[in-house]
């Protein structure tokens, strides 16, 4: 019996190697679980250009992005990969400093060619930056402007760094940063080091009347401004595309709209005022415009745009190129300024602008009765009817105004958009009295890291709008600072024309029995 027990024990000996590998495997799994936890935890604190771990701007609330289409681990991997492991492994891009030889070649080429003068609207760069001519822009200005900004842009030696504070609605931040990356690629070695606070929402926030009594004028870039604000207008994201509403990059989109505008001669265009858009954006003027939808009474055709239904239909009914069949196109501001302005002006129809309060970088070039017709927000429907009646009675003049509006937008090509960005940033950088340095929380953004975050539709538009070659010549030549009274005289002349139109409208309406 004892021999049998001994045999049993000897046939099942303890295996030290088995225990060792078990301990190693358990330790490995524990470390792996700890690593996954650490990665998830790190990713959950990393802010991204598409809105991960960012709250909406408190001054313009919108539904936060939830990113539920990805698993937690997939999302964490993507955040780490795109944010930290992409730019450092990419080849040097167009934003890097070119060799001195290449710079000399470009200077030589520029000196043998007469560079085009920048469009007149570039003069407004001086007006936008005038508040800092005496005080200059200090790091204290930048720090205080942070409370109004969604993100901070720092360019150092041709590289783009971004510090994120709040999320932007839809893909605005992505396409804005893409535009800056394309500028760095188009003019490598020419864009100066700069530090910019940027807000991506609609309404300006730096009030002009608060300047003084020791209050600093805070420099803040955004897409629009007003006469009562100091916000610095910068080309909006849709110049590079707007995937959420199927709008193509600007050069391509303008070409399509212009071609669509030529489908009908002026004589065959519908003699009504047309507007199609979304009134449900806290816009009183658009809600009032909806009451003017009567072709017999007011000579209008007003259509509510339902973007949810348009998306389901593949945007076939919302193509901008198919909306140029009317002689008159109405522009009505939305929550604030609207990107629709440039597409309306591009149609070649007579643009009817309803008392705009906001202005973007190019709309300062608009002159009433030269390239648009001013419509009053008071007695709106009647004011639109007056414009339609005037245009029908003065067909050739109305057509000429529409053509000049289209020509204005044709002159604002992407080359000129980049030139405007270049000159604005360059003049702004000259006012900074400190050396820009990316804050520790800033991340480098390059084309590859941005494309890493983009979905398929976004990638399509981003790649379409990419700068493919370095510009062989420098930007257009910026005119010198205009006479100090230029902007005041300009505004007074425009207001006088608007008042003359309003007086004529009032006399005409008063004569109606």
């Amino acid at each position: 019996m004892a021999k049998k027990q001994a045999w049993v024990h000897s046939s099942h000996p303890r295996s030290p190697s088995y225990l060792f590998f078990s301990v190693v495997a358990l330790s490995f799994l524990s470390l792996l679980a700890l690593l996954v936890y650490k990665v998830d935890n790190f990713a959950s604190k990393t802010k991204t250009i598409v809105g991960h771990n960012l709250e909406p701007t408190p001054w313009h609330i919108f539904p936060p992005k939830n990113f539920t289409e990805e698993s937690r681990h997939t999302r964490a991997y993507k955040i780490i990969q795109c944010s930290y492991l992409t730019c450092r492994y990419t080849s040097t891009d167009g934003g890097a400093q070119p060799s001195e030889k290449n710079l000399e070649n470009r200077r030589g080429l520029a000196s043998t060619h007469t560079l085009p003068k920048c469009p007149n609207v570039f003069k407004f760069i001086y007006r936008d930056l005038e508040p800092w001519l005496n005080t200059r822009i200090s790091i204290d200005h930048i720090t205080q402007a942070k409370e109004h900004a969604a993100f901070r842009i720092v360019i150092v030696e041709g590289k783009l760094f971004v510090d994120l504070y709040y999320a932007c609605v839809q893909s605005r931040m992505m396409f804005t940063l893409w535009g800056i990356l394309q500028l760095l690629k188009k003019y490598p070695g020419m864009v100066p080091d700069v530090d910019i606070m940027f807000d991506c929402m609609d309404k300006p926030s730096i009030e002009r009347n608060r300047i003084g009594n020791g209050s600093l004028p805070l420099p803040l870039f955004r897409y629009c401004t007003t006469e009562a604000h100091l916000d610095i207008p910068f080309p909006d994201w849709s110049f590079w595309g707007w995937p959420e509403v199927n709008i193509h990059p600007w050069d391509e989109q303008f070409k399509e709209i212009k071609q669509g505008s030529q489908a009908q001669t002026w004589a065959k265009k519908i003699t009504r005022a047309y507007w199609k858009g979304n009134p449900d954006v806290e816009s009183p003027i658009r809600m009032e415009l909806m009451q003017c939808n009567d072709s017999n009474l007011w000579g209008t055709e007003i259509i509510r745009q339902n973007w949810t239904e348009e998306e389901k239909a593949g945007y076939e009914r919302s193509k901008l190129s198919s909306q140029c069949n009317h002689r008159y196109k109405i522009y009505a501001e939305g929550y604030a300024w609207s990107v629709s302005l440039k597409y309306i002006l591009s149609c070649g129809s007579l643009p009817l602008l309803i008392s705009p309060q906001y202005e973007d970088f190019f709309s300062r070039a608009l002159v009433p009765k030269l390239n648009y017709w001013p419509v009053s927000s008071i007695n709106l429907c009647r004011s639109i009817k007056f414009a339609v009646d005037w245009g029908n009675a003065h067909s050739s003049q109305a057509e000429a105004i529409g053509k000049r509006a289209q020509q204005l937008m044709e002159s604002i090509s992407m080359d000129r958009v980049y030139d405007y960005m270049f000159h604005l940033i360059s003049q702004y950088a000259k006012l900074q009295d400190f050396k820009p340095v990316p804050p520790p929380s800033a991340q480098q953004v390059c084309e590859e890291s941005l494309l890493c975050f983009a979905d398929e539709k976004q990638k399509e538009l981003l790649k379409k709008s990419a700068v493919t070659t370095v510009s062989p010549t420098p930007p257009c030549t910026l005119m010198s600072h205009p006479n100090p009274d230029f902007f005041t005289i300009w505004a007074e002349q425009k207001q006088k024309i608007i008042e003359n139109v309003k007086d004529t409208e009032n006399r005409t309406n008063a004569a109606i029995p």
Side-chain angles (χ1 to χ4, degrees):
M1 185 70 179
K3 290 182 179 181
K4 183 177 181 180
Q5 290 178 344
W7 179 85
V8 171
H9 285 297
S10 63
S11 65
H12 294 85
R14 291 187 179 181
S15 175
S17 59
Y18 173 80
L19 292 175
F20 173 76
F21 286 117
S22 297
V23 171
V24 170
L26 184 61
S27 300
F28 175 77
L29 291 174
S30 298
L31 287 173
L32 182 61
L34 179 62
L35 178 61
V36 170
Y37 169 78
K38 290 290 186 181
V39 168
D40 280 352
N41 185 56
F42 185 65
S44 69
K45 297 177 181 178
T46 299
K47 303 171 183 177
T48 73
I49 60 172
V50 291
H52 293 105
N53 308 309
L54 287 170
E55 294 296 322
T57 53
W59 47 86
H60 186 169
I61 301 296
F62 56 90
K65 301 173 183 177
N66 52 35
F67 302 101
T68 56
E69 71 280 0
E70 299 172 323
S71 69
R72 186 182 63 174
H73 296 318
T74 300
R75 183 165 62 250
Y77 172 80
K78 185 173 185 178
I79 290 173
I80 300 301
Q81 173 70 22
C82 301
S83 298
Y84 301 105
L85 304 177
T86 305
C87 291
R88 66 180 64 190
Y89 296 115
T90 58
S91 59
T92 303
D93 60 21
Q97 305 297 302
S99 67
E100 187 60 32
K101 182 179 179 181
N102 288 339
L103 282 174
E104 287 296 331
N105 289 340
R106 292 178 69 193
R107 292 189 192 107
L109 185 61
S111 64
T112 58
H113 291 76
T114 302
L115 294 175
K117 289 185 178 180
C118 297
N120 282 333
V121 73
F122 281 51
K123 291 180 181 178
F124 284 86
I125 290 174
Y126 294 114
R127 191 193 73 167
D128 293 336
L129 300 179
E130 191 173 16
W132 298 278
L133 283 177
N134 296 324
T135 64
R136 296 180 61 78
I137 297 171
S138 68
I139 192 65
D140 193 34
H141 284 97
I142 300 296
T143 302
Q144 291 193 44
K146 179 180 177 180
E147 66 178 284
H148 302 277
F151 56 92
R152 181 179 185 177
I153 294 169
V154 182
I155 297 173
V156 175
E157 296 183 353
K159 294 182 179 179
L160 174 62
F161 299 86
V162 182
D163 200 19
L164 304 173
Y165 310 132
Y166 294 104
C168 296
V169 69
Q170 297 183 337
S171 55
R172 290 186 182 191
M173 185 190 299
M174 173 183 284
F175 279 75
T176 299
L177 296 177
W178 179 261
I180 294 173
L181 288 170
Q182 302 317 299
L183 172 68
L184 295 173
K185 187 195 291 187
K186 186 177 180 68
Y187 296 125
M190 297 184 66
V191 179
D193 292 359
V194 72
D195 195 332
I196 293 170
M197 286 294 181
F198 204 110
D199 182 31
C200 54
M201 304 310 288
D202 291 345
K203 286 192 175 180
S205 58
I206 310 301
E207 297 179 15
R208 187 180 295 271
N209 61 12
R210 291 192 177 183
I211 302 306
N213 299 322
S215 177
L216 294 173
L218 301 180
L220 182 69
F221 281 55
R222 71 166 64 250
Y223 308 122
C224 70
T225 191
T226 76
E227 290 290 338
H229 290 85
L230 296 176
D231 301 62
I232 302 168
F234 190 81
D236 73 83
W237 75 96
S238 66
F239 280 99
W240 294 271
W242 189 357
E244 290 82 3
V245 293
N246 201 43
I247 287 180
H248 299 162
W250 171 239
D251 277 348
E252 177 186 348
Q253 191 67 74
F254 175 81
K255 182 179 179 180
E256 292 176 359
I257 294 174
K258 186 177 181 180
Q259 288 177 345
S261 73
Q262 297 168 344
Q264 298 278 0
T265 64
W266 184 264
K268 293 183 178 180
K269 287 185 183 292
I270 302 168
T271 57
R272 292 197 293 269
Y274 179 86
W275 183 82
K276 185 175 185 178
N278 180 13
D280 304 315
V281 290
E282 299 182 37
S283 171
I285 199 67
R286 289 190 178 184
M287 294 306 295
E288 186 177 352
L289 178 61
M290 298 302 296
Q291 307 304 313
C292 303
N293 188 25
D294 190 319
S295 58
N296 294 321
L297 185 60
W298 306 120
T300 58
E301 188 174 337
I302 312 298
I303 301 174
R304 179 187 290 269
Q305 181 89 318
N306 185 322
W307 284 113
T308 302
E309 293 301 319
E310 291 297 333
E311 183 179 9
K312 292 178 181 178
Y315 301 100
E316 285 299 319
R317 296 169 298 184
S318 60
K319 286 184 178 180
L320 297 175
S321 57
S322 64
Q323 298 181 38
C324 298
N325 297 321
H326 294 70
R327 288 191 185 182
Y328 315 101
K329 292 272 311 236
I330 299 171
Y331 170 72
E333 291 178 335
Y335 180 72
W337 142 94
S338 170
V339 300
S340 64
L341 177 59
K342 59 179 171 286
Y343 308 118
I344 289 170
L345 295 172
S346 299
C347 254
S349 304
L350 173 60
L352 309 182
L353 274 57
I354 305 173
S355 303
Q357 301 178 46
Y358 302 90
E359 53 190 20
D360 58 18
F361 85 95
F362 68 83
S363 64
R364 278 88 69 91
L366 291 171
V367 178
K369 293 190 72 174
L370 178 69
N371 42 35
Y372 82 95
W373 186 271
V375 170
S376 174
S377 57
I378 301 172
N379 295 323
L380 176 60
C381 303
R382 193 172 294 278
S383 187
I384 293 173
K385 185 179 188 308
F386 173 77
V388 171
D389 290 345
W390 180 90
N392 290 338
H394 304 82
S395 179
S396 60
Q397 294 180 49
E399 182 181 10
I401 295 174
K403 283 185 177 180
R404 286 193 291 266
Q406 189 177 67
Q407 289 166 357
L408 170 65
M409 297 318 300
E410 191 164 24
S411 73
I412 309 293
S413 63
M414 280 309 299
D415 283 339
R416 295 291 83 82
V417 171
Y418 286 121
D419 287 358
Y420 190 92
M421 294 163 64
F422 172 82
H423 284 301
L424 175 59
I425 290 174
S426 298
Q427 294 299 315
Y428 175 87
K430 291 177 182 178
L431 297 174
Q432 294 191 328
D433 65 3
F434 62 94
K435 180 176 175 58
V437 177
S441 54
Q443 300 173 21
Q444 184 181 352
V445 176
C446 59
E447 281 194 5
E448 290 77 7
S449 67
L450 196 148
L451 289 170
C452 180
F453 277 118
D455 62 29
E456 290 307 311
K457 181 62 176 178
Q458 291 166 345
K459 283 181 183 178
E460 177 188 350
L461 296 179
L462 292 170
K463 290 180 178 180
K464 275 186 176 182
S465 62
V467 168
T468 55
T469 59
V470 173
S471 175
T473 60
C476 61
T477 302
L478 183 65
M479 63 284 292
S480 57
H481 197 297
N483 184 294
D485 297 328
F486 170 81
F487 299 111
T488 301
I489 295 172
W490 175 269
E492 289 175 348
Q493 289 177 340
K494 290 170 67 172
Q495 187 58 37
K496 185 176 180 180
I497 298 171
I498 292 172
E499 290 173 356
N500 287 340
V501 170
K502 185 62 179 174
D503 288 342
T504 304
E505 180 183 327
N506 289 339
R507 289 196 302 270
T508 302
N509 290 336
I512 298 175

